Every structure is written in structure tokens, then in C-alpha cells.
Amino acid sequence: METTLRGVGVSHGVAIGEVRHMGTAVLEPPAKQIPADEAEREQGRARQAVEAVAADLIARGNLAGGEAQHVLEAQAMMAQDPELMADVDRRIAVGSTAERGVYDAFAAYRALLAGAGEYLAGRVADLDDVRNRIVARLLGVPMPGVPDSDEPYVLIARDLAPADTALLDPALVLGFVTEEGGPTSHSAILARALGVPAVVAMPGAGELVEGTVIAVDGSTGEIFVEPSAEKRATLEQAAAARKAALAASSGPGATSDGHKVPLLANVGGPADVPAAVEAGAEGVGLFRTEFLFLDDSSKAPTEEKQVEAYRKVLEAFPEGRVVVRVLDAGADKPLDFLTPGDEPNPALGVRGLRTLLDHPDVLRTQLTALAKAAEGLPVYLEVMAPMVADRIDAKAFADACREAGLQAKFGAMVEIPSAALRARSILQEVEFLSLGTNDLAQYTFAADRQVGAVSRLQDPWQPALLDLVAASAEAAKAEGKSCGVCGEAASDPLLACVLTGLGVTSLSMGAASIPYVRSTLSKHTLAQCERAAAAARAADTADDARAAAQAVLSGE
């Protein structure tokens, strides 16, 4: 009998197939004692397992490329954390086996992360995956991970670690459903990059019986269990119509009456550029430079290395717009040489621009590298600072850009509610705003972007979040300046229309979402988008806001 379940749709498309469950997590090793003379051997086993797992994660990253590579390299660094390994050695020295020492040391570290604030708590799933891989290697059992199958299937998991998501084969994994996660989790972002339909934050997903046929709608978040032939036909027809519409859509982003809305790509480095170009991106709306710094957390990359990486991206968009975010270090992106290790709540502490202002040499080197990378190129370079709270922050960043001789527009990210509320003040110092809706939602609702239990508050359709977007866009319009969106909200085609109606002047997203957004925008006038935006803001809940906008745009 057909039943319908609902989670949070995070990656467009429809997948219909049999359920396959993620490999079982590693069981807890027995707590047995070893003789003192075996401690050194066990410590060696632990180190070998850690190095092997780190090497495997890096290899997976090299195969995946793009943003996934940077995520997996950061996970490999987590496995090799010196303090964590020192704790493993201590536990083995007092009688633990290698596997038990690893398990207990990671458990202690896990508890610290879980209580260390929103961002670090969001890394718990990644840490669990690293632990499971190390313990599995020590126990000689199969690694937890994607099931072996010769036939295509829909993957079900409690959560998906980046190492698993990055190497999903779209030819076999038709889509996936997770119990945990949220619309801005690593798995959701990587799913969109892969173009795999996905639904997250669906309670009870693990109870779906192996082999059951389900249909996954990654746009609506609906899961149809044992769908009828009629339902399957309807979903397949809708998917085919959507594919045809995408193929027919090309050129710059615009509404049906010609109002231009540049569609830009979010990239993490040169490896992400080909997909952006292929999708028809009109430039880059968010170049996340921190991944260049995560290659080695002990020191900053040289100016020469930075120039090389930046220039590769800038060269890909001749006469296009490339918006670079300077290093956003801190919280879930700690760097040994830069960020304090003892902050009680890093997400609310020294992060982003605050970190750079405390280390002006690092900011100066990055800005100088950007200036050199852009020399002789016709690209329109724009540089923005993360975590700007007020006009003082904005002025400090603009002054640093001028002192570095940077010939570019200077901007500020709106991720903190204060920046949205005082946007006109900030725009006295900078030339544009860019809304990071992921963090703006997190700080507006006090809702960790990685925790499935609060995913409804991370929904970018929340009317309070739309109010802050509107305030920022209205301030930019009053000052004659631009205001874009570079958070994941821009990847939702329906919401893209609403954002346009709110006055946003550009939209930046993962490359895979650009055709969907382009096609949907082209079907509606600016006036329709404005009416949809007004209807969404008049609602009281995210679901009602979405339904109200849909009703306006569908002519109901």
C-alpha cells in the first residue's frame, strides 16, 4: 500500500528504486587489558591505522575533486590530530588495546565537540566516520560505507559522511535519504554538486525495509513508499518535463519580461570551475578560499601558491564577475597557526574577519595575492569579508583592501542579523552585499546547520529570514549598490523567484542548480516574483510561505 513520508528536499530530481541500507557502523571494541610490554606494539598499530585511513580519505578526495576533495582533506587532518593521537597513546600505555584506545579517545573528543558550540558540534558525524574507519581497519572488518550492488538503488542511511557522499556513483545510487542532516550539511551540498536527488532529516528512514521500492522527490522532500503505477508515471512524467525544460533553457539569467538576474556559481577552487562553465554560470558569486588554507593547517600558503590558484579561477571567466571571499577561518575550520583552540563557543567567537583582523599579515598576503592574480585580466574582481557585524568591521576590511593596492570592489557578507538590520550603515564603507543564508539562518534562529532536529529552523523559507533578506536588498537599492545571495537558498528555483522579488540582484549556487533556476526564472515576470515574495513574507511558517509563493507563481 502506498504511503507518503516527508523530509527535507535538498537536491532536485526524482529517484525511483529499491532501498539499500548503508553498511552497519563498527561495533564497540571489547574493553580488555593488555600487558605493559605490548603497549608499544599496539601504539604502532594505532598509528599505522590512522595513517592508512588518512591516506584513503585523501585518495578519495583526489578521485572526487572539487569541493569534495577539500572536505575529505579536512577530514584526514582530523584523523591525524596530534592531541587526539597523544590521547590514544596515553590510553594504550595504561592497558587499552589499539582499537579500544582509539574508540575511547574519539569518544572523549566527540563529547568536547558536541558541547563546543554549533559549528564544532556539526563535525560530530565526520568524526564518527573517521573513528569507524580506523577501528574497522584495526579489527580487520569491512569498512562502513556504501553497499555493494550491481543494480541501481536508493541509499538509506542515518547520515552520510563526506567520504561516502563524495564517491557516490550516480549510475548506481539513484538518490539517497538520511535520518539526520539538514539543507546546509556537507552531504546536502555534495549531493547538489553530484546532481543526485536527496532528502535529509527524515525520521524513521532507517526503518524502511531492504528491497522496498520507494520514490524520492528531492525537490519537495516527499518519499513515496511502494508507489502505485499511477504515482510512478506521474513522477516520471514530471521529471521528463523538467529535463526537457532544462535542455531548452540557456543564456543569462532573467525573468520572462527581461529583468536580468545574473546566475553565478559557488566554487571551492580551480577543480570546481569546469562544471560551473558547463552549466553556463555568468561568473563566480562565492569563491571559498579557505580550502586552500586547509591543505596545511600549520602555516598559511605562500603568496605564490595563492596567486596560482586564484588566477586559474579568474581566467575561466573573462569579462565575467568573480566574487572572492577572503579566508573564513575559525569554528568548524580551525587552523593551527591562526585560530585559538580553547574558545568556549567558536561559532560566536573569533571567526572570519575577526580572525583576519587579529592577523593582519595573513589578510595582507591574501589581498596582495588577489591583486597580482587579477593583473592583466579583464575579469571583474570583487572581494568580500565574512562575518561582518557592523560598519566598524566593514571599514577595517575596506581599509585593508586599499592598503594592499587591490583594484576591485570591496563587499561584506551578511551572515549576522546585525548586518542585515544595519545594512545601510555598512554600505557607507563597502560597495556590495552578499547574503550567506546558511549562516544567517543559523544565527537568526540559534539553530545549528548540521543538526537534523532543528532543520525546520534552517529552512530558508522561514519568513523571518526572508524579512532580513528584504531589509538588506532594500538598503542596497537605496544606496544604489548590489545585494546578491550566495547561500544555498539560491539553489531552490522557486525560492530564487522569491529572492528576485525581494530585490536581490544576483544569485549564486552550486553549478548543478543553475539550469533549474534559469529555467524557472524565465517562466515568470518580475511583478509575479514580487507578488510571490510579498505572499511568502506574509506567512507565519516556512511551509506556508512556500505554499503561498507557489500559489502566486502557478496562478492559483
Side-chain angles (χ1 to χ4, degrees):
M1 179 179 177
E2 179 181 315
T3 57
T4 304
L5 306 173
R6 181 180 287 277
V8 177
V10 296
S11 185
H12 305 299
V14 172
I16 302 175
E18 293 187 0
V19 163
R20 293 286 183 275
H21 285 271
M22 195 73 174
T24 305
V26 176
L27 297 175
E28 180 178 348
K32 64 181 183 182
Q33 291 289 108
I34 60 168
D37 59 2
E38 293 183 12
E40 187 174 347
R41 178 178 66 84
E42 290 295 289
Q43 288 168 341
R45 285 182 65 229
R47 283 191 292 273
Q48 288 174 1
V50 166
E51 292 303 320
V53 166
D56 177 63
L57 290 169
I58 290 171
R60 285 169 175 259
N62 291 337
L63 285 172
E67 186 169 333
Q69 180 174 2
H70 303 303
V71 172
L72 293 174
E73 286 173 350
Q75 205 177 9
M77 288 167 53
M78 180 185 286
Q80 297 169 305
D81 182 271
E83 291 187 16
L84 188 54
M85 285 311 303
D87 190 22
V88 172
D89 282 343
R90 283 193 295 270
R91 293 174 186 275
I92 294 174
V94 294
S96 288
T97 60
E99 47 267 35
R100 188 70 205 192
V102 167
Y103 186 90
D104 289 341
F106 272 73
Y109 194 29
R110 187 187 199 280
L112 287 174
L113 286 185
E118 295 174 356
Y119 265 96
L120 288 179
R123 302 280 71 79
V124 165
D126 294 358
L127 185 71
D128 287 348
D129 181 59
V130 172
R131 177 204 64 203
N132 290 346
R133 291 174 184 277
I134 296 170
V135 173
R137 182 169 289 275
L138 287 166
L139 291 175
V141 300
M143 288 284 176
V146 178
D148 290 329
S149 176
D150 295 328
E151 298 296 326
Y153 58 90
V154 176
L155 181 63
I156 308 295
R158 184 184 63 80
D159 201 354
L160 280 172
D164 297 314
T165 316
L167 293 183
L168 291 180
D169 181 356
L172 284 177
V173 182
L174 303 172
F176 67 76
V177 180
T178 66
E179 292 194 44
E180 298 294 328
T184 59
S185 65
H186 276 154
S187 291
I189 292 170
L190 292 176
R192 285 189 284 272
L194 287 165
V196 176
V199 172
V200 301
M202 201 199 86
E207 297 173 13
L208 290 169
V209 177
E210 187 93 359
T212 301
V213 174
I214 65 172
V216 178
D217 190 328
S219 300
T220 66
E222 292 174 302
I223 309 293
F224 303 96
V225 183
E226 298 288 5
S228 64
E230 182 180 359
K231 172 62 72 175
R232 291 179 67 157
T234 300
L235 290 170
E236 288 168 350
Q237 287 169 7
R242 189 179 301 157
K243 187 175 181 180
L246 293 178
S249 175
S250 62
T255 58
S256 62
D257 56 341
H259 175 73
K260 294 182 179 179
V261 187
L263 303 182
L264 312 171
N266 295 342
V267 304
D272 292 335
V273 167
V277 172
E278 184 179 352
E282 298 168 60
V284 172
L286 173 61
F287 180 1
R288 302 181 180 95
T289 61
E290 61 269 17
F291 294 119
L292 184 62
F293 289 75
L294 290 171
D295 285 345
D296 182 354
S297 68
S298 65
K299 63 180 186 296
T302 64
E303 181 181 302
E304 292 74 19
K305 183 176 181 180
Q306 292 189 54
V307 170
E308 180 183 5
Y310 302 152
R311 194 169 180 89
K312 286 179 180 176
V313 175
L314 297 176
E315 286 175 337
F317 296 95
E319 301 185 8
R321 178 186 179 199
V322 175
V323 184
V324 179
R325 180 176 70 190
V326 294
L327 176 62
D328 184 13
D332 67 332
K333 293 170 287 225
L335 294 171
D336 295 343
F337 73 94
L338 201 63
T339 51
D342 56 354
E343 283 191 287
N345 193 340
L348 300 180
V350 183
R351 177 196 166 190
L353 180 61
R354 300 168 187 175
T355 301
L356 292 174
L357 294 178
D358 281 351
H359 298 82
D361 55 324
V362 175
L363 177 58
R364 188 181 310 111
T365 299
Q366 184 171 26
L367 294 174
T368 301
L370 283 166
K372 290 183 177 179
E375 284 179 0
L377 297 179
V379 68
Y380 295 94
L381 175 62
E382 302 185 12
V383 183
M384 62 184 180
M387 298 296 288
V388 171
D390 57 14
R391 184 172 178 173
I392 292 173
D393 280 350
K395 183 178 187 304
F397 178 65
D399 287 347
C401 290
R402 294 187 190 96
E403 289 170 10
L406 189 61
Q407 299 297 310
K409 285 187 176 182
F410 318 140
M413 290 198 70
V414 178
E415 301 165 285
I416 303 172
S418 64
L421 296 171
R422 300 289 295 172
R424 289 197 72 170
S425 173
I426 288 172
L427 284 166
Q428 305 311 302
E429 305 294 342
V430 296
E431 298 172 82
F432 69 93
L433 300 177
S434 184
L435 287 142
T437 52
N438 307 348
D439 272 320
L440 185 58
Q442 174 168 248
Y443 290 122
T444 298
F445 296 103
D448 188 337
R449 55 191 283 186
Q450 299 292 335
V451 176
V454 293
S455 62
R456 77 170 185 86
L457 297 173
Q458 267 292 328
D459 192 327
W461 282 95
Q462 284 285 356
L465 187 66
L466 299 180
D467 288 344
L468 293 175
V469 173
S472 302
E474 289 164 6
K477 183 177 181 179
E479 295 295 329
K481 297 180 178 179
S482 63
C483 176
V485 169
C486 64
E488 290 299 318
S491 66
D492 179 336
L494 182 63
L495 186 51
C497 294
V498 168
L499 295 173
T500 298
L502 292 174
V504 166
T505 56
S506 65
L507 299 166
S508 189
M509 64 208 77
S513 297
I514 291 175
Y516 290 93
V517 173
R518 182 193 295 118
S519 174
T520 303
L521 267 178
S522 69
K523 295 182 176 69
H524 304 289
T525 65
L526 177 59
Q528 287 176 312
C529 292
E530 290 172 341
R531 289 197 297 273
R537 288 184 68 191
D540 291 322
T541 70
D543 286 344
D544 288 348
R546 185 185 290 106
Q550 180 68 65
V552 170
L553 294 177
S554 62
E556 295 177 7

